[in-house]
């Protein structure tokens, strides 16, 4: 399991060439204290699978190139009768982007007695991004009914693709290439995009590269006759963050700071809303590669995980690791996520596990 994400009371996780959707009922969450690890016992959760998201309606097998590497999801709507719709997007190793509009009722659940097809949900659209590396992907709201996906490429560029959730003819078709952000400076094999993150405000986009550089882009708006007509991205900062690969990065929830994690296990924190990016903190975070990094909703903490099979919770101001979850995984951890309320975390990795933790760290 390479990627995991929360949307309200739903969690989505990649599983080879498909995505599994699970419902979590918070009323049943009990913070366990098993051997001092504070790991939530998944057997005690009311944690039920409600559907499987797959690309194709046909029975053809999914090739190894369509293995889902990165997943993002957002809530589109929720009615009073508990009918919900989430936008779920995943990128595969070969640069294919699969988009689902997952409609469900909170009373629904995966019925093992039914046929496999009865629980399947099929993709709304599938499109290919030529040159995409398949490991870096980020989704952000743009306009009502329209979302933009940033897709990292092997040549160091970033493709901004439209993800449309409206039938309006004024919006571009799903997969439309809106803009290509080229790499600053000379292009080399080490410029490949390894990680991407949007800020919550939607103005900033950060890209971590194989050569250790981090580029921060700002979305600008050009106007014609006093009216906004077009958005474009310009380079705000180019940061020499490391001499090794940047696989994890994220903004704090208030969009003030950017955290990066590299293959040396080192974490850097930058203040980006200045003329020049200012490093405000650094940590020796892990004993090996940092494979994922996510900000906590309170903007005071962030979470990292990686090849040393540990999940660390960090305090931004004190630069201290305030908690370590160790022993929950038996192989590298590729994904970590935090729910919107910040009450619990989840991690996933090469051992095929999803592990849930209490994040009530004072």
């Amino acid at each position: 399991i390479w990627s995991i994400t929360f949307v309200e009371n739903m969690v989505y996780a990649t599983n080879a060439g498909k995505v599994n959707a699970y419902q979590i009922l918070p009323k049943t969450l009990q913070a366990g204290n098993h051997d001092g690890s504070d790991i939530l016992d998944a057997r005690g959760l009311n944690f039920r699978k409600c559907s499987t998201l797959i690309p194709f309606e046909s029975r053809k097998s999914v090739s190894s190139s369509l293995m889902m590497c990165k997943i993002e999801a957002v809530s589109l709507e929720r009615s009073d009768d508990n009918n919900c719709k989430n936008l779920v997007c995943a990128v595969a190793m070969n640069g294919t982007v699969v988009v689902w509009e997952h409609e469900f009722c909170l009373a629904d659940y995966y019925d093992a007695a039914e046929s496999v097809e009865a629980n399947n949900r099929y993709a709304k659209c599938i499109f290919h991004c030529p040159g995409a590396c398949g490991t870096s992907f980020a989704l952000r709201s743009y306009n009502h009914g329209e979302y933009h996906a940033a897709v990292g490429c092997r040549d160091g560029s970033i493709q901004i693709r439209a993800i449309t959730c409206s039938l309006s003819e004024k919006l571009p078709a799903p997969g439309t290439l809106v803009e290509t952000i080229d790499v600053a400076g000379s292009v080399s094999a080490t410029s490949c995009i390894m990680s991407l993150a949007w800020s919550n405000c939607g103005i900033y986009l950060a890209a971590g590269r194989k050569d250790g550089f981090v580029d921060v882009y700002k979305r600008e708006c050009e106007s014609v006759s006093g009216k906004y007509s077009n958005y474009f991205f310009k380079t705000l900062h180019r940061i020499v963050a490391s001499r090794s690969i940047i696989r994890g990065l994220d903004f704090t929830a208030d969009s003030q700071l950017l955290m990066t994690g590299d293959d040396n296990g080192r974490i850097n924190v930058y203040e980006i809303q200045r003329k020049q990016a200012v490093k405000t903190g650094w940590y020796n975070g892990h004993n090996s590669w940092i494979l994922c990094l996510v900000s906590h909703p309170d903007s005071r903490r962030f979470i990292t995980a990686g090849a040393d099979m540990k999940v660390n919770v960090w305090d931004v101001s004190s630069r201290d690791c305030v908690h370590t979850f160790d022993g929950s995984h038996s192989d590298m951890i590729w994904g970590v996520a935090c729910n919107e309320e910040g009450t619990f975390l989840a991690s996933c990795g090469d051992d095929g596990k999803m592990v849930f933790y209490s994040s009530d760290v004072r």
Side-chain angles (χ1 to χ4, degrees):
I1 303 176
W2 288 345
S3 184
I4 190 169
T5 188
F6 288 98
V7 180
E8 296 184 349
N9 66 330
M10 295 292 296
V11 59
Y12 297 92
T14 58
N15 183 2
K18 59 182 181 293
V19 173
N20 288 329
Y22 303 89
Q23 183 183 355
I24 300 176
L25 301 183
K27 291 182 180 180
T28 67
L29 291 176
Q30 298 295 327
N33 188 8
H34 308 283
D35 300 325
S37 62
D38 292 331
I39 298 174
L40 291 175
D41 186 352
R43 294 171 300 179
L45 300 180
N46 192 343
F47 179 77
R48 60 189 186 185
K49 184 177 180 180
C50 62
S51 53
T52 301
L53 313 184
I54 61 175
F56 310 107
E57 292 191 41
S58 65
R59 292 179 177 270
K60 64 182 179 180
S61 61
V62 178
S63 66
S64 59
S65 63
L66 204 58
M67 297 302 171
M68 305 300 176
C69 296
K70 182 71 175 177
I71 185 171
E72 297 267 347
V74 295
S75 175
L76 294 179
E77 61 184 57
R78 179 172 178 176
S79 62
D80 293 337
D81 57 359
N82 285 330
N83 287 314
C84 305
K85 181 191 291 186
N86 292 336
L87 176 68
V88 184
C89 301
V91 64
M93 292 178 65
N94 66 351
T96 298
V97 177
V98 186
V99 181
W100 295 270
E101 285 190 6
H102 182 214
E103 297 185 56
F104 61 96
C105 178
L106 294 179
D108 290 344
Y109 62 95
Y110 189 98
D111 190 349
E114 293 186 4
S115 64
V116 174
E117 288 78 7
N119 296 298
N120 288 343
R121 301 295 183 269
Y122 302 107
K124 176 184 178 182
C125 67
I126 301 175
F127 58 88
H128 184 68
C129 300
C133 55
T135 57
S136 51
F137 180 83
L139 183 69
R140 180 56 55 193
S141 174
Y142 177 68
N143 281 322
H144 182 69
E146 182 182 359
Y147 292 79
H148 279 179
V151 183
C153 298
R154 291 187 294 273
D155 65 0
S157 65
I158 303 170
Q159 298 179 20
I160 306 297
R161 298 274 178 169
I163 307 292
T164 307
C165 303
S166 172
L167 298 178
S168 172
E169 296 180 354
K170 296 181 180 180
L171 297 179
T176 300
L177 181 62
V178 177
E179 183 178 354
T180 298
I181 306 174
D182 293 321
V183 61
S186 60
V187 177
S188 67
T190 59
S191 299
C192 176
I193 304 289
M194 302 300 293
S195 53
L196 287 166
W198 291 97
S199 63
N200 275 358
C201 65
I203 297 176
Y204 304 106
L205 174 65
R209 301 183 181 275
K210 189 175 181 180
D211 56 12
F213 280 84
V214 172
D215 290 312
V216 180
Y217 304 95
K218 184 178 181 181
R219 192 179 74 171
E220 299 283 355
C221 184
E222 61 182 3
S223 60
V224 177
S225 300
K227 295 183 178 181
Y228 296 121
S229 59
N230 189 31
Y231 288 102
F232 65 97
F233 289 87
K234 72 173 186 179
T235 303
L236 182 65
H237 302 299
R238 171 146 252 238
I239 304 168
V240 184
S242 174
R243 294 183 179 179
S244 62
I245 301 173
I246 306 294
R247 299 182 194 267
L249 80 171
D250 199 11
F251 293 91
T252 51
D254 59 10
S255 304
Q256 297 293 317
L257 302 175
L258 174 68
M259 295 80 65
T260 67
D262 65 25
D263 273 10
N264 290 329
R266 186 176 177 86
I267 302 165
N268 291 319
V269 180
Y270 302 91
E271 186 175 342
I272 54 98
Q273 292 191 14
R274 293 192 181 190
K275 187 175 182 179
Q276 292 184 335
V278 177
K279 184 187 291 188
T280 62
W282 53 92
Y283 317 73
N284 291 317
H286 290 262
N287 297 325
S288 187
W289 302 348
I290 295 175
L291 299 175
C292 46
L293 185 155
V294 66
S295 176
H296 192 276
D298 64 9
S299 293
R300 297 185 294 107
R301 293 169 284 174
F302 62 93
I303 303 96
T304 59
D308 60 2
M309 301 175 287
K310 295 179 180 179
V311 177
N312 290 338
V313 182
W314 302 88
D315 184 274
V316 174
S317 58
S318 68
R319 305 179 188 174
D320 293 329
C321 178
V322 295
H323 199 81
T324 296
F325 297 102
D326 193 6
S328 54
H329 285 277
S330 58
D331 210 332
M332 294 192 295
I333 302 173
W334 285 97
V336 67
C338 184
N339 70 331
E340 296 175 10
E341 295 79 15
T343 52
F344 56 94
L345 317 172
S347 62
C348 62
D350 276 347
D351 57 5
K353 294 179 182 177
M354 292 188 298
V355 183
F356 292 82
Y357 315 85
S358 168
S359 66
D360 187 20
V361 182
R362 304 302 181 187

